[in-house]
Amino acid sequence: MTQENVEIVRRLFDVQGTSEFLELLDPHVVWLNHASAPQTKPYVGHEGLLEWYSDFRAHVGGFRFDLVELIDAGGDQVVTVHRVTATGTTSGAQIEQTQAAVITLLNGKVVRSQGFETKAKALGAAGLKE
């Protein structure tokens, strides 16, 4: 199942911004930003994810998440390393950051995504080392 999970997460990045994105998520998905993000509360369910999108858009515009690396963390987890590119809504400054996440899947759907500032932190949370 782990390779299948990796492919589901790859698809998640491929279809961002489309209705197919929500189809890859469990209806009760929990979405968590990294600890230093402007909003750190949990976003729950499809409605919560739409709220996350709205909150994120309040700070940045024209954003995109581009996959850099996918790591099979075993079992039901996949670690992503991804590049975020955006424009600050107030400043107009160009933003480019590399971040990571631990994505947990169950029955072919994403049930949790936890963001991290670095690959090392995400790997540690998944019980892996660099």
Side-chain angles (χ1 to χ4, degrees):
M1 181 65 107
T2 58
Q3 186 56 37
E4 182 180 333
N5 286 344
V6 168
E7 292 309 315
I8 291 167
V9 173
R10 182 183 315 280
R11 185 87 185 127
L12 194 67
F13 279 82
D14 290 344
V15 300
Q16 63 185 296
T18 72
S19 61
E20 189 178 341
F21 185 87
L22 288 178
E23 293 172 16
L24 296 172
L25 306 177
D26 182 86
H28 306 288
V29 65
V30 176
W31 205 266
L32 300 159
N33 287 328
H34 58 78
S36 61
Q39 292 290 336
T40 57
K41 68 180 183 177
Y43 295 90
V44 180
H46 290 179
E47 287 181 15
L49 191 63
L50 294 174
E51 181 185 353
W52 170 86
Y53 180 81
S54 177
D55 288 350
F56 198 73
R57 292 283 305 197
H59 297 281
V60 298
F63 64 88
R64 177 142 181 95
F65 293 80
D66 292 306
L67 191 58
V68 174
E69 185 177 4
L70 275 175
I71 302 159
D72 179 354
D76 58 359
Q77 293 186 321
V78 176
V79 173
T80 69
V81 179
H82 50 273
R83 185 174 306 105
V84 182
T85 54
T87 305
T89 53
T90 304
S91 67
Q94 294 297 308
I95 300 163
E96 185 172 319
Q97 295 180 336
T98 299
Q99 300 174 352
V102 176
I103 299 180
T104 307
L105 298 98
L106 180 65
N107 298 323
K109 299 279 186 177
V110 174
V111 294
R112 181 181 172 91
S113 176
Q114 170 69 61
F116 293 92
E117 293 91 345
T118 66
K119 176 182 176 180
K121 287 182 180 180
L123 290 172
L128 303 173
K129 295 182 181 183
E130 274 196 85

